[in-house]
Amino acid sequence: MSAAEEIKTYKDIPDVDGIPLLGNTLEMAKDPAALFLRAYRDYGPVYRVNVFGRKQIVIAGREAALFMSTKNGRESLRSREFWEPMREFYGASKMLTREDGELHQKLRGVMRDGFSREAVRGRYHELSGTIDDSISNKWKNGTDVPVVEAFQYMIVQELGEILTGSAPLDYVRDIRVNILYLLNVLVTQVRPKFFLGLPEFKKANKRVEELSRDMIIEFKEHAEKGTLPNNLLGDIMRAHIEHPDLVPESDLSLLLTGPYVAGLDTVANTLAACVYGILRTPGVLERVQKEADALMAKKTVTEDDIRELVVIAGCIREAMRMWPIAVAQMRTATRDFEFEGFLIPENEKLYVGTSVSHFMDEYFPEPDLFDPDRYLDENAQHMQPGVYSPFGRGPHTCLGQNLAEVLMGMTIARLFHRLDMTLESEDYTLKTKSFPTPGPAMDFKIKVKGERMPADKLVPEA
């Protein structure tokens, strides 16, 4: 046998140590990022975890993040299996998170403009007014505010005003309950299917169906009148009319309510974590307030002004590093492929732990310290290839990241300009949840001590 004909040998994939019967389930439920980091330190970039009775391979660390961005990575991994139950539940023909390849890119093309910075260009005065309205409703002086919930209402209000001109605030709880159940049961599968028969879910799901039905009627009327807006939902309806094979009637319900589902937990969780980091870390609050006050003193806020929020942007990036939404991405191997000397078998379901390097002092010195200066040009720790993945990696990188960054920057600036806030206690330690999306626990509260600055309205750009 020639050397070329020799059978290649691969390393054996190690099983992560755990406790009898439960394996790594408790660690995963408590803090998946910590589990993936511990296993990476102990076993390297490839290992197998035992969670909820299922053994799954994990590829992790900087190596996995870089692999996701290569041609080999794009062709070796797919998303279909994890999102197929969700597609079936909605009776849709397809969904963005499920599809790969050319079809995925076509769907991204439909929604790209609506999820871009341009969606709010020239509308920062409107966004500021929406934030003020939400502050009046959910951030009252002298109260303890449940931060995640308050941000959920604020984000739905912001998205509603941007996308439709009105916000479905009456549906916020229904949207949250609906997506909580669907993700836990159908996608992460940490809850049994009978949960979808519980009254709480059935009531919320009925309400979300009502919301989507009303939205479809509204946008069909816009189409008939020729008044479809130039925003995300308008783009979706235009694609339905012009390319019904790509966006058929059966997919409209999921697509039109999708932006609320996508932003409700993800952006709210990041903003809540950011508020905690700012209030908890000595010296940061004063810097944020100074930068926020300078922005609001301009009266007219532009996109360039948002880009110049160095301290606030650093706080948001640091929140996404320390409390990442995309702890790991779930994928299936499309074929046998080699990764770091290991053979990953075709059709194997696996986690891709791209956030592991967020917590490694090799890349982020003192990783447990909330430090917004990591992202200054002279430091730029996040610019090392493969070490910072707050929006995931590969073809499924968050489509709305640019819009999310603008919304979060403006929200933090306006909030800390307007309000004087503190933690419940100086030594409060943030509690977190893991499913369906990682982030601060729902019982995290802050005290609104009073109003720092009045709600002076911003002026539109000329």
Side-chain angles (χ1 to χ4, degrees):
M1 180 181 293
S2 67
E5 296 174 322
E6 290 181 5
I7 298 174
K8 184 169 183 177
T9 59
Y10 298 94
K11 303 175 188 177
D12 291 332
I13 298 176
D15 291 310
V16 176
D17 63 286
I19 60 177
L21 299 179
L22 292 176
N24 312 113
T25 302
L26 297 183
E27 279 186 277
M28 187 73 160
K30 181 180 180 181
D31 190 342
L35 168 61
F36 290 147
L37 175 62
R38 175 183 79 81
Y40 180 89
R41 290 294 197 196
D42 291 344
Y43 302 96
V46 182
Y47 46 85
R48 187 182 289 106
V49 294
N50 181 355
V51 179
F52 302 111
R54 300 188 301 272
K55 290 189 175 184
Q56 285 186 239
I57 293 173
V58 179
I59 63 174
R62 182 182 187 183
E63 300 90 333
L66 292 173
F67 177 75
M68 291 282 282
S69 301
T70 65
K71 183 175 184 292
N72 187 25
R74 292 192 297 271
E75 294 178 350
S76 298
L77 300 169
R78 66 174 182 262
S79 301
R80 184 177 66 238
E81 283 80 1
F82 292 97
W83 293 97
E84 176 64 10
M86 181 84 85
R87 182 201 65 78
E88 291 180 345
F89 179 85
Y90 277 98
S93 69
K94 62 186 77 68
M95 59 186 298
L96 181 67
T97 50
R98 173 188 179 273
E99 313 307 331
D100 293 288
E102 183 179 358
L103 179 55
H104 178 77
Q105 292 305 315
K106 286 182 178 179
L107 290 173
R108 287 177 79 93
V110 170
M111 294 179 261
R112 183 169 287 111
D113 289 345
F115 273 124
S116 69
R117 286 176 176 266
E118 284 68 31
V120 289
R121 180 173 290 168
R123 302 181 63 184
Y124 296 107
H125 62 293
E126 297 177 27
L127 183 57
S128 173
T130 300
I131 295 168
D132 286 340
D133 187 54
S134 187
I135 287 174
S136 298
N137 291 329
K138 296 292 181 180
W139 304 74
K140 297 183 184 299
N141 292 344
T143 64
D144 292 346
V145 177
V147 185
V148 177
E149 179 182 316
F151 273 132
Q152 287 174 346
Y153 277 88
M154 185 179 290
I155 292 304
V156 167
Q157 191 165 355
E158 291 177 11
L159 289 174
E161 296 293 341
I162 292 168
L163 299 178
T164 67
S166 61
L169 295 181
D170 291 344
Y171 292 90
V172 171
R173 186 182 184 281
D174 303 298
I175 295 170
R176 165 147 179 79
V177 169
N178 192 64
I179 197 62
L180 180 73
Y181 275 84
L182 290 177
L183 289 177
N184 279 337
V185 174
L186 300 180
V187 181
T188 62
Q189 297 182 11
V190 299
R191 296 286 187 271
K193 287 188 176 180
F194 77 79
F195 269 56
L196 299 186
L198 295 179
E200 182 184 43
F201 171 73
K202 293 174 73 174
K203 179 182 178 181
N205 187 61
K206 184 177 180 181
R207 290 267 294 163
V208 173
E209 288 178 349
E210 175 186 295
L211 172 63
S212 64
R213 184 171 60 249
D214 290 346
M215 292 176 71
I216 290 172
I217 292 171
E218 177 186 353
F219 276 81
K220 282 187 174 181
E221 290 176 350
H222 275 303
E224 291 173 1
K225 297 175 183 176
T227 57
L228 278 174
N230 291 317
N231 59 28
L232 176 61
L233 302 191
D235 291 344
I236 289 170
M237 188 57 71
R238 269 187 288 273
H240 167 61
I241 295 168
E242 297 169 8
H243 306 286
D245 55 331
L246 180 63
V247 183
E249 180 87 17
S250 61
D251 296 3
L252 289 178
S253 175
L254 188 57
L255 286 169
L256 293 179
T257 58
Y260 297 115
V261 172
L264 186 69
D265 258 8
T266 54
V267 179
N269 285 348
T270 298
L271 286 171
C274 186
V275 167
Y276 171 75
I278 291 170
L279 295 178
R280 184 72 169 84
T281 311
V284 174
L285 172 61
E286 294 77 12
R287 294 174 64 196
V288 167
Q289 290 172 334
K290 181 179 179 180
E291 191 172 70
D293 293 348
L295 177 71
M296 297 306 160
K298 294 183 178 183
K299 300 303 181 183
T300 296
V301 173
T302 68
E303 182 178 341
D304 288 341
D305 294 326
I306 299 295
R307 291 180 184 274
E308 292 174 4
L309 293 176
V310 176
V311 178
I312 290 172
C315 290
I316 293 168
R317 288 171 176 167
E318 190 69 332
M320 291 191 290
R321 180 188 69 82
M322 296 184 69
W323 298 279
I325 299 298
V327 169
Q329 297 162 264
M330 299 180 293
R331 296 290 185 268
T332 302
T334 61
R335 60 189 182 188
D336 290 353
F337 68 91
E338 180 181 352
F339 177 77
E340 298 294 313
F342 296 86
L343 177 66
I344 309 299
E346 181 180 359
N347 294 324
E348 183 78 19
K349 292 183 178 180
L350 60 151
Y351 293 109
V352 186
T354 53
S355 70
V356 163
S357 50
H358 286 202
F359 309 98
M360 297 176 65
D361 53 13
E362 297 96 311
Y363 308 118
F364 298 96
E366 297 184 87
D368 294 335
L369 175 67
F370 185 88
D371 180 8
D373 292 338
R374 297 184 193 276
Y375 309 92
L376 297 176
D377 289 343
E378 60 266 30
N379 296 327
Q381 296 170 7
H382 66 303
M383 295 304 291
Q384 303 169 80
V387 307
Y388 187 62
S389 306
F391 294 104
R393 286 275 176 164
H396 284 262
T397 300
C398 176
L399 181 58
Q401 61 179 289
N402 291 324
L403 177 59
E405 287 174 345
V406 172
L407 294 181
M408 290 191 290
M410 189 66 180
T411 299
I412 290 295
R414 191 67 176 176
L415 194 68
F416 279 93
H417 171 72
R418 289 284 319 282
L419 301 180
D420 182 11
M421 299 175 289
T422 63
L423 297 174
E424 289 185 286
S425 61
E426 290 185 3
D427 60 349
Y428 175 79
T429 299
L430 186 67
K431 298 176 184 177
T432 60
K433 57 179 173 59
S434 298
F435 299 102
T437 52
M442 295 299 292
D443 62 0
F444 167 45
K445 295 180 180 180
I446 56 97
K447 294 180 180 293
V448 177
K449 296 172 62 178
E451 190 170 12
R452 291 186 65 245
M453 299 288 180
D456 293 337
K457 292 184 178 180
L458 296 181
V459 178
E461 293 183 56

